Amino acid sequence: MDSIDAAELALSLPEVDPTHPSPARIYDFWLGGSQNFEADREAGRRAASSMPSLPASAQANRVFLRHVVQNLIAERGITQFLDLGSGVPTVGNVHEVAQAVDPDATVVYIDIDPVAIAHARALLADNPTAHAALADLREPDVVLDHPLVRDTIDWTKPVAILLFSVLHFIPDTEPTTARPDQIVHAFMHPCAPGSYLTISHGAPDAAAPQGQKDAARDYAKRTGVPVVPRTAKQITPWLTGLEIQPPGVADIRVWLPELDDTHKPIVPFIGVLARKP
């Protein structure tokens, strides 16, 4: 057994149950991917029946991801990425965007879903600088001690910590070390000055509050994972000590006005890019 297998077996993560929907695989379904089971598709369809804008929202969030990664590597010189709660790395994901600019850019994907990680490893088999690790981002010390993270990320140099569309699955009632603010602080702590944090996070939808509530209730019932929309005001305190970059803690349509040009309604998503001084 190698060090990676040993580290991941020690996590006691659940076995894959194709009848139990997974957030990573539901998201893959909304993006038009193929790494999902019928239970995931049914959960995705049911959530979208209450809130039809969800699939378009997932696609808009992926556009925001590509925009931020492109900016980080092309404009800010970041060549190391730790993608937490990465899900299934479908077309146009972090390593493809980053390595199109710098073929030597390093990426580590972290997810709790074994199917997402198995697919990622198959996809990355011939990519020497992109890796996928099975781990739970709610346990930052375990993630940071994972062999693939230790051997890939050079913490003496700037790194980008990516938390796209994941922290809204973590309630404030989690144990202290696993709350969103503590997760952010734990992963930014080892980062060198000049590192960046980027977040996308589902926000309350004033245009469809009941639909959002119904979708979240059914989603939680089927997956066992709560959904906690948060406002920019709730997210901003997580960024204490960091330099928030323009246009601030704002809807991704403020970051990317062209998203409105698609004429597809989307659930509000807050986007953040912040620098460690």
Side-chain angles (χ1 to χ4, degrees):
M1 182 182 298
D2 66 19
S3 60
I4 296 171
D5 288 336
E8 294 179 356
L9 281 175
L11 295 176
S12 299
L13 296 177
E15 295 291 328
V16 175
D17 178 359
T19 68
H20 185 76
S22 151
R25 300 192 304 266
I26 293 170
Y27 197 72
D28 178 63
F29 168 64
W30 284 336
L31 289 173
S34 60
Q35 301 302 309
N36 49 73
F37 302 125
E38 178 53 34
D40 307 307
R41 296 187 285 274
E42 176 61 17
R45 285 191 290 263
R46 283 184 62 91
S49 70
S50 296
M51 202 165 199
S53 57
L54 281 170
S57 305
Q59 293 156 20
N61 190 64
R62 184 50 55 92
V63 173
F64 177 66
L65 178 151
R66 292 194 290 264
H67 168 79
V68 172
V69 172
Q70 172 75 21
N71 178 271
L72 283 167
I73 193 164
E75 305 296 330
R76 302 172 191 263
I78 300 297
T79 59
Q80 302 185 101
F81 299 84
L82 181 61
D83 188 354
L84 301 164
S86 57
V88 179
T90 52
V91 173
N93 213 301
V94 175
H95 72 281
E96 292 185 343
V97 177
Q99 292 178 353
V101 179
D102 182 349
D104 295 323
T106 57
V107 179
V108 181
Y109 294 110
I110 302 290
D111 205 273
I112 196 173
D113 187 316
V115 173
I117 294 304
H119 178 68
R121 286 179 173 163
L123 184 69
L124 302 172
D126 298 322
N127 192 321
T129 58
H131 309 280
L134 186 64
D136 187 341
L137 67 88
R138 294 171 298 180
E139 299 180 348
D141 290 345
V142 175
V143 173
L144 294 170
D145 195 45
H146 192 290
L148 283 172
V149 176
R150 291 200 318 263
D151 296 344
T152 303
I153 302 296
D154 181 353
W155 297 103
T156 68
K157 297 178 181 179
V159 59
I161 304 296
L162 313 180
L163 285 156
F164 284 100
S165 196
V166 66
L167 290 179
H168 51 239
F169 294 129
I170 302 177
D172 295 320
T173 53
E174 287 279 350
T176 301
T177 55
R179 294 198 311 253
D181 58 334
Q182 293 301 315
I183 289 169
V184 167
H185 296 159
F187 282 107
M188 291 307 294
H189 178 71
C191 292
S195 294
Y196 285 86
L197 166 73
T198 183
I199 296 172
S200 71
H201 192 296
D205 191 347
Q210 189 59 49
Q212 187 173 45
K213 184 181 294 184
D214 292 344
R217 183 187 301 113
D218 190 72
Y219 191 97
K221 179 180 178 180
R222 289 174 173 270
T223 65
V225 178
V227 182
V228 186
R230 293 184 175 96
T231 64
K233 185 177 180 179
Q234 290 173 294
I235 293 168
T236 300
W238 304 348
L239 311 174
T240 300
L242 303 177
E243 299 170 345
I244 299 173
Q245 305 297 294
V249 187
D251 191 292
I252 61 173
R253 288 166 292 190
V254 175
W255 283 83
L256 295 171
E258 61 268 27
L259 289 174
D260 278 335
D261 295 339
T262 66
H263 304 294
K264 292 181 179 179
I266 65 171
V267 180
F269 261 84
I270 302 298
V272 176
L273 180 64
R275 181 181 183 274
K276 184 173 182 177

